[in-house]
Amino acid sequence: MATVASTSVGERIGPLDRLRALHREGRLAHAYPEVPGLLAELASTGDPSGPPAQDLVRAGQLLARLDASAVLAEHPGTDAVSVAVTGHSTLSGLTSPLTAEFARHGILLKLHSGDFGSWFRDLQDTQSEFYAAGAEVALCVLDAQIVFDELPHPWLVDDVERIATAKLALIGSLAERYVTHGSGTLVLNTLPLLRTHVRRLVDARSRARLGVIWREFNAGLLRLAAAHDRVHVVDLDPLVAASGPVNEPRLAAYTKVLLGDGLLAGYAREVGHLARGLRGRTKKVLVVDLDNTLWDGILGDDGPEGIAAATTYRGEAFGRFQRLVGQIGAQGVLLAVCSKNDREPVLKVLRDHPDMALREKDFVRVNANWEPKDGNLLEIARRLNLGVDSFVFADDSPFECGLVAGSLPGVAVVRLDEEPALHIERLLADGWFDVPELTVEDRARAELYRTDAARQDLQESAGSMEEYLAGLDVEVSLSPVREHEIARVSQVTLRTNQFNLTTERLQQADIRTRRQSAEHLVLAIRSADRFGENGLVGAVLISGIGSDGGWRIDNMLLSCRVFARGIEETCLAAVLRKAKEAGARGVHADYRPTAKNHRVRSLYPSVGFTETGQDADGAGAVSFHHDLAEESLPQQPAHVRLTVDFTEQSA
């Protein structure tokens, strides 16, 4: 993916000029695969604590003119997301940044905008275009005037409390209505309280009470996200703090632009992060440099006594960055080091240096050598059995960042610079690791991957794969998903790419609906071995329970951490045996190919399924059928111990 373009005479041109040239020549749809890289370069400029770079918004203006169907015609595999927008004020300033933010994450925006001020009608009327659009993401952008426009003149704080309470109840009922009748994720937002609202009260006591009422109102909005799986609430207060004024007073008065361009650009960035997560593109690994990234100084030149992550002004900034990295790692993000240094001095610093907030045990891999960093990232990915597109790479060197961005375009590159006080802002700017909800498995992930090193040692010392598996002592539990596991199963569908037979992404509400249906089974796969628990590592989603047409395996998923241990064959053998016992006439299944799941193409045939056809659209989807004849039922691998219960529905 190119991020730098050249003119006919070999002269370098910038990413925005490249986009303009492609647009002018009518080739932007054809060159669309270049766009994420170009936008990534644009997004890396500017103040990381402020709103998105203005050039990124200008790029969005060009991209918003593109016909999405033209891009899909040129590149059928492009990930496209339909978004519906409604609101209270003028929202024309949202289109360009929203288009750009989606595009830089490799997502083509298909936008449906409602009429000005139509938010109540759009959410109330289930026959409205807002519902009919069938959007995956539905944005309802609100502002403080939905309360203040209804106040009497003159007004008291009691009036604000009364109307805010009624408005919160209304929004809550509309959210429930959308969750019941809509198909996507509804995005609401908190409402910024302006200084001009507060200053209309002349006494400090009333102003304080207004502040309390307003914060309770916004807290009620935020609680809607906890109450509904398919409701997301963007807190605008941090965005206002970063972008400056909520609006420009003259535009607010004359054109009803009640949320300014800077704030809308920040809002668009948050929605882009949400869409990326809904498509299972959350990053899993943070790879960091060391010299002038985790500590001040160059270990090879200055020695251990010459580097600092405390005790000096600059050193303390690096220490704060280390603590942030540790905070991220404690929430399920895998941490790794990629540094041009000799390994033993690096390990000694991580083990013994008094300034370090991070230690060797905090990292699942420490690659300190003199090899090119793109190759090191590939090696780390291989050892973790993950794709590099799940990586974020943070480095202070423009050369290293350019090398990785150019050779490994799937890696999110965070370009740090010589100002360590901005390291935190730059790493957090794009929410690369955002997930809807943390699970038990998330918090234990780093330890699980560290345990895998012991498994690899066993495999390397074993005389054969059979000897390794016999010594591993694999245990598998297969039973219906429990209530507290719903978030984890949804996460597995969103984040698993390699062992994912159909790559259907399911939100928690989707899993819960299937769990409550008598026609569906959602089976959780849990595993353990001699080295410890692996937790919930996969799922089997089945429909057609009790139907005349037989059972259907809608999808099967398994974490890359537990590949090739016989777990998949064990679970499928149990499912087929249970289907036969239940009197099913057969079991159907599908495989839909992607760029990453080719290794599971042969899974169903390997356990006795026969291929029954391929989709005529050329996408390569294959259907399978198992007749459940006794002689064709697979046997459970001998080295696996299975506990199975198809009736359990406990919490």
Side-chain angles (χ1 to χ4, degrees), residues 580-598:
K580 183 177 180 64
E581 292 173 0
R585 298 177 61 182
V587 176
H588 307 277
D590 295 305
Y591 163 76
R592 297 189 184 96
T594 69
K596 294 186 176 182
N597 71 355
H598 56 87

Side-chain angles (χ1 to χ4, degrees), residues 194-523:
L194 302 182
R195 183 176 183 273
T196 53
H197 294 138
V198 177
R199 290 289 168 172
R200 296 179 191 211
L201 299 168
V202 298
D203 67 296
R205 187 176 296 276
S206 293
R207 290 173 181 172
R209 187 177 167 214
L210 175 61
V212 170
I213 291 168
W214 205 261
R215 284 163 178 80
E216 289 176 344
F217 172 73
N218 278 331
L221 289 173
L222 290 166
R223 291 189 188 100
L224 292 176
H228 303 288
D229 292 336
R230 289 197 290 115
V231 174
H232 181 85
V233 181
V234 177
D235 189 352
L236 292 191
D237 280 352
L239 303 185
V240 172
S243 66
V246 172
N247 59 41
E248 201 287 320
R250 288 164 296 183
L251 289 176
Y254 298 133
T255 65
K256 305 302 180 186
V257 178
L258 302 182
L259 302 177
D261 287 347
L263 182 54
L264 288 178
Y267 171 86
R269 180 163 58 186
E270 297 299 313
V271 176
H273 300 169
L274 171 65
R276 185 182 63 206
L278 292 175
R279 285 306 172 95
R281 295 189 176 189
T282 297
K283 303 294 185 179
K284 302 175 183 177
V285 185
L286 172 58
V287 184
V288 292
D289 179 39
L290 295 177
D291 294 333
N292 291 322
T293 295
L294 283 192
W295 57 62
D296 188 18
I298 300 175
L299 179 60
D301 294 340
D302 304 324
E305 67 282 354
I307 64 173
T311 68
T312 68
Y313 287 124
R314 279 180 59 85
E316 289 177 357
F318 287 96
R320 287 192 293 272
F321 184 63
Q322 283 199 29
R323 287 189 288 275
L324 166 70
V325 171
Q327 171 76 11
I328 291 173
Q331 297 172 86
V333 176
L334 303 178
L335 305 180
V337 166
C338 182
S339 173
K340 285 192 173 177
N341 264 303
D342 291 325
R343 179 175 173 82
E344 288 308 315
V346 164
L347 294 179
K348 182 170 177 57
V349 167
L350 292 176
R351 291 166 183 165
D352 304 327
H353 198 289
D355 284 7
M356 297 300 122
L358 291 170
R359 295 298 182 185
E360 181 186 5
K361 64 179 178 59
D362 294 307
F363 299 97
V364 293
R365 295 290 301 171
V366 176
N367 276 32
N369 54 51
W370 298 95
E371 298 299 318
K373 290 197 174 183
D374 54 347
N376 267 295
L377 291 182
L378 289 171
E379 196 274 336
I380 293 171
R382 182 185 64 79
R383 295 287 295 187
L384 298 179
N385 198 21
L386 293 170
V388 289
D389 59 351
S390 64
F391 281 34
V392 174
F393 173 66
D395 200 303
D396 69 299
S397 165
F399 170 79
E400 301 294 359
C401 289
L403 172 68
V404 171
S407 62
L408 302 174
V411 175
V413 176
V414 177
R415 165 74 171 93
L416 307 176
D417 59 21
E418 64 280 356
E419 179 47 79
L422 295 178
H423 283 9
I424 289 176
E425 297 285 357
R426 294 192 184 282
L427 182 58
L428 295 180
D430 280 309
W432 293 113
F433 309 108
D434 291 356
V435 295
E437 182 180 342
L438 279 182
T439 66
V440 173
E441 286 78 8
D442 286 330
R443 298 188 184 279
R445 183 173 292 113
E447 183 58 36
L448 293 173
Y449 272 87
R450 278 190 287 270
T451 305
D452 279 344
R455 296 184 179 90
Q456 290 177 8
D457 291 342
L458 174 65
Q459 183 173 358
E460 291 168 2
S461 65
S464 65
M465 190 64 177
E466 290 74 17
E467 182 181 337
Y468 162 67
L469 291 174
L472 195 56
D473 195 19
V474 177
E475 299 179 21
V476 174
S477 166
L478 183 68
S479 66
V481 62
R482 302 154 186 160
E483 177 65 28
H484 72 275
E485 295 172 325
I486 288 176
R488 170 58 179 164
V489 172
S490 171
Q491 184 185 77
V492 168
T493 73
L494 292 172
R495 301 180 67 175
T496 301
N497 296 303
Q498 296 181 65
F499 200 117
N500 189 334
L501 274 295
T502 65
T503 62
E504 182 182 9
R505 311 297 186 185
L506 299 175
Q507 304 304 312
Q508 292 185 40
D510 302 319
I511 301 295
R512 186 168 283 108
T513 298
R514 288 174 180 244
R515 180 178 184 264
Q516 294 169 349
S517 167
E519 297 180 356
H520 290 80
L521 266 177
V522 182
L523 301 174

Side-chain angles (χ1 to χ4, degrees), residues 498-564:
Q498 296 181 65
F499 200 117
N500 189 334
L501 274 295
T502 65
T503 62
E504 182 182 9
R505 311 297 186 185
L506 299 175
Q507 304 304 312
Q508 292 185 40
D510 302 319
I511 301 295
R512 186 168 283 108
T513 298
R514 288 174 180 244
R515 180 178 184 264
Q516 294 169 349
S517 167
E519 297 180 356
H520 290 80
L521 266 177
V522 182
L523 301 174
I525 304 172
R526 311 167 197 87
S527 77
D529 56 40
R530 61 180 282 190
F531 296 102
E533 295 284 339
N534 288 307
L536 196 157
V537 295
V540 187
L541 294 99
I542 302 169
S543 61
I545 305 299
S547 70
D548 293 338
W551 288 18
R552 173 172 292 278
I553 300 177
D554 296 322
N555 202 4
M556 182 175 183
L557 310 103
L558 198 64
S559 169
C560 58
R561 290 188 293 108
V562 296
F563 281 0

Side-chain angles (χ1 to χ4, degrees), residues 553 556 568-577 603-604 607 634:
I553 300 177
M556 182 175 183
E568 55 269 41
E569 293 89 348
T570 296
C571 292
L572 284 175
V575 167
L576 293 171
R577 177 66 62 181
L603 174 65
Y604 288 130
V607 292

Side-chain angles (χ1 to χ4, degrees), residues 43-94:
S44 67
T45 63
D47 181 359
S49 63
Q54 190 58 41
D55 279 352
L56 188 65
V57 178
R58 294 188 180 101
Q61 293 171 351
L62 295 175
L63 295 168
R65 301 172 195 169
L66 264 181
D67 182 352
S69 61
V71 175
L72 293 172
E74 292 269 5
H75 309 285
T78 303
D79 198 359
V81 171
S82 176
V83 176
V85 179
T86 190
H88 176 251
S89 61
T90 300
L91 297 172
S92 55
L94 180 60

